[in-house]
Amino acid sequence: MHNFPSTPYDLVVFGATSFVGRILCRHLWMRQMEGLDFRWAVVGRSLQRLEELQEELGLGTEALPVHVVDAQDEEAMAAMVRSTRVVVSTVGPYALYGSSLVALCAREGRDYLDLSGEVPWIARMLSFEPLAKQSGARIVHCCGFDSIPSDLGVQYLQQQCQDLWQEYCARVRLMVARIEGGFSGGTVASMLNVAREAWEQPELRRLLANPYALCPDPVGPRQPHSALVERDTYTGQWIAPFVMSAINTRVVLRSHALQGKCWSESFLYDEVMLTGDDWAGMVKATAIRAALLSFFSASALAPTRRLLERFVVPKPGEGPSAQEQEDGGYVLWFRGHTKSGRSLWVSVEGDRDPGYGSTGKMLGEAALCMAFDRPHAELAGGFWTPSTAMGSLLRQRLQEHAGMQFKVMEAPAR
Ligand SMILES: NC(=O)c1ccc[n+]([C@@H]2O[C@H](COP(=O)([O-])OP(=O)(O)OC[C@H]3O[C@@H](n4cnc5c(N)ncnc54)[C@H](OP(=O)(O)O)[C@@H]3O)[C@@H](O)[C@H]2O)c1
């Protein structure tokens, strides 16, 4: 059934029938309806589900070819990789299903993008970097809500700061000012898998605790880490941990390292959620911290993990409704300080729920950006981050086609 054509596609979507894959495919289809010309195909393990997707989009096989490939079938996977310039994968948990695909892309010199936020797995995949450098494959993990807004937001702040004052910020904090959206079964399955692996392997716990886990040289200054409920000094608001900071901070620090630590050898970065400046804000911050702690403790142990999977969290394939995606959105503030005492604020906003409605569009634009805006003569093979691979080219696409805005802002009133 995997009769891939001899003329390569511009891109293939592997896992097209996943919860987020269907949103991604709708976005790509809408871009074609707007007149963008590209050749793509959808790939998954179930022909029936792929045909349902074709039907949902109102497209025939001519306009949108489908191919059946299982992640366990190495031969079919290799055929898929050779059939395209860019592979986009939403088949997760990536630690369970994604390794051979990354290895194949690195070996065959094909570009690869995904939505992984699984730090231990990404760290393992870095062992294929020499292959990717040799073949010219550009591998870019984390092309969704984690970690495009963080990674491109910090890059935008630093560029503005450089343009204004010819200096960079040595200290940056991301603050989540608004976030509305839910989780899908696929995301929860990936988080549970990381927690299980970390419980079983002490060296993984050490890796997860290292902010430089994804950097070529995994050492650096001690990064900020707030253990107790506290207020942000500049906004006066109570702050809670931001669940995605565990991956986002690692990606931002890798971006900094890949640019020769140009922002400062002592660059510091953290991410928090703002919960308000009154007593209700304090209660909310405390509740978020307690909920996160309970979730990660429960997911580490097999019996409580099974209870969570059975009764509490969404199942694979499930996620926020179309209305919830439509009503969702997010506002992120970034505050940077230079060594000379200047400070600058920027915001990144998105118009759909972060993890799905917005992520599907981000991943689609990132794939198009790699396929059409980044010739191999300009970007060599290797394991890049979204900002170091695509930077302002992607930012422009996100503003024009993905409902995102990057702006310099006034410091919020206290
Ligand atoms: N970074 C971010 O911001 C972000 C946001 C959202 C999701 N994610 C990540 O993206 C991934 C997908 O999330 P989701 O909610 O869309 O998950 P999902 O709905 O559970 O989808 C998982 C996909 O994997 C496919 N699959 C499973 N085993 C396979 C195999 N052996 N061969 C081929 N395909 C296989 C499934 O195929 P079927 O369709 O046939 O079941 C399905 O398409 C997860 O890892 C999640 O953590 C990240």
Side-chain angles (χ1 to χ4, degrees):
M1 182 49 77
H2 47 267
N3 50 334
F4 289 97
S6 50
T7 318
Y9 292 117
D10 292 313
L11 60 103
V12 298
V13 177
F14 184 47
T17 54
S18 72
F19 188 80
V20 70
R22 295 199 307 270
I23 300 168
L24 161 69
C25 290
R26 179 160 291 278
H27 179 72
L28 291 172
W29 167 76
M30 280 171 60
R31 297 285 278 121
Q32 273 197 322
M33 293 299 102
E34 289 165 12
L36 197 66
D37 186 22
F38 59 96
R39 284 185 71 240
W40 65 305
V42 290
V43 187
R45 62 178 167 174
S46 152
L47 179 61
Q48 188 193 333
R49 285 172 59 71
L50 287 165
E51 286 175 345
E52 281 165 13
L53 175 68
Q54 255 184 342
E55 203 172 308
E56 207 177 293
L57 300 178
L59 292 170
T61 308
E62 189 83 343
L64 184 60
V66 302
H67 299 277
V68 177
V69 172
D70 192 291
Q72 321 287 353
D73 182 345
E74 277 275 333
E75 203 185 307
M77 294 272 282
M80 171 180 77
V81 166
R82 289 189 197 113
S83 79
T84 184
R85 298 196 293 119
V86 178
V87 178
V88 188
S89 174
T90 70
V91 175
Y94 292 89
L96 300 183
Y97 308 118
S99 306
S100 57
L101 180 55
V102 174
L104 278 164
C105 289
R107 198 168 301 134
E108 298 289 334
R110 301 304 200 267
D111 295 341
Y112 167 94
L113 299 94
D114 72 23
L115 290 178
S116 172
E118 300 159 40
V119 174
W121 178 73
I122 298 173
R124 283 203 295 278
M125 293 304 97
L126 286 170
S127 65
F128 296 113
E129 185 152 38
L131 264 185
K133 283 185 168 162
Q134 208 178 353
S135 71
R138 289 92 56 94
I139 311 288
V140 195
H141 300 292
C142 307
C143 291
F145 184 63
D146 31 312
S147 301
I148 282 181
S150 304
D151 198 28
L152 261 58
V154 173
Q155 185 187 50
Y156 176 69
L157 172 78
Q158 297 289 18
Q159 282 170 353
Q160 296 301 313
C161 203
Q162 180 69 15
D163 290 351
L164 281 169
W165 303 310
Q166 294 73 55
E167 58 177 335
Y168 289 119
C169 296
R171 168 74 173 103
V172 177
R173 166 170 278 183
L174 175 154
M175 288 152 283
V176 181
R178 173 189 165 232
I179 189 159
E180 278 165 57
F183 281 104
S184 72
T187 298
V188 174
S190 301
M191 289 162 91
L192 291 176
N193 192 54
V194 171
R196 181 187 57 78
E197 284 188 345
W199 176 257
E200 290 165 1
Q201 303 170 44
E203 72 279 9
L204 273 197
R205 292 204 288 280
R206 280 194 291 278
L207 182 91
L208 282 168
N210 182 358
Y212 301 99
L214 301 182
C215 293
D217 178 16
V219 288
R222 195 183 159 84
Q223 290 292 323
H225 181 75
S226 66
L228 297 167
V229 178
E230 57 177 317
R231 282 181 194 266
D232 174 66
T233 322
Y234 294 87
T235 58
Q237 293 204 37
W238 294 99
I239 54 176
F242 178 42
V243 64
M244 297 306 176
S245 71
I247 173 68
N248 293 339
T249 51
R250 279 52 178 166
V251 172
V252 168
L253 292 172
R254 178 168 173 84
S255 294
H256 184 221
L258 292 181
Q259 296 169 87
K261 301 194 180 167
C262 61
W263 301 330
S264 160
E265 279 288 336
S266 56
F267 177 68
L268 299 181
Y269 178 68
D270 69 347
E271 301 192 342
V272 297
M273 283 185 77
L274 299 177
T275 59
D277 55 9
D278 53 5
W279 67 269
M282 189 187 70
V283 172
K284 194 171 164 191
T286 312
I288 291 174
R289 187 175 292 274
L292 285 176
L293 206 63
S294 323
F295 178 81
F296 284 108
S297 313
S299 49
L301 299 168
T304 40
R305 187 170 60 246
R306 276 196 288 274
L307 283 177
L308 277 178
E309 283 167 345
R310 183 127 188 243
F311 298 112
V312 183
V313 298
K315 310 265 174 300
E318 295 175 357
S321 67
Q323 192 61 50
E324 284 165 336
Q325 290 171 38
E326 182 84 18
D327 295 344
Y330 53 92
V331 178
L332 310 175
W333 293 341
F334 297 77
R335 182 183 62 234
H337 299 276
T338 68
K339 281 200 170 146
S340 67
R342 291 179 164 122
S343 65
L344 188 68
W345 291 70
V346 305
S347 67
V348 177
E349 299 186 17
D351 71 346
R352 292 278 189 284
D353 79 298
Y356 305 96
S358 189
T359 283
K361 296 194 284 186
M362 278 185 243
L363 182 58
E365 291 307 318
L368 293 170
C369 188
M370 287 303 289
F372 297 109
D373 305 345
R374 292 307 262 147
H376 283 258
E378 285 176 15
L379 182 74
F383 278 59
W384 298 99
T385 57
S387 73
T388 53
M390 296 169 271
S392 55
L393 295 167
L394 178 58
R395 191 171 72 232
Q396 195 176 334
R397 282 181 168 275
L398 296 174
Q399 299 201 123
E400 287 171 9
H401 306 290
M404 288 178 71
Q405 289 179 37
F406 294 75
K407 286 191 223 151
V408 174
M409 62 181 270
E410 295 283 322
R414 286 190 63 147

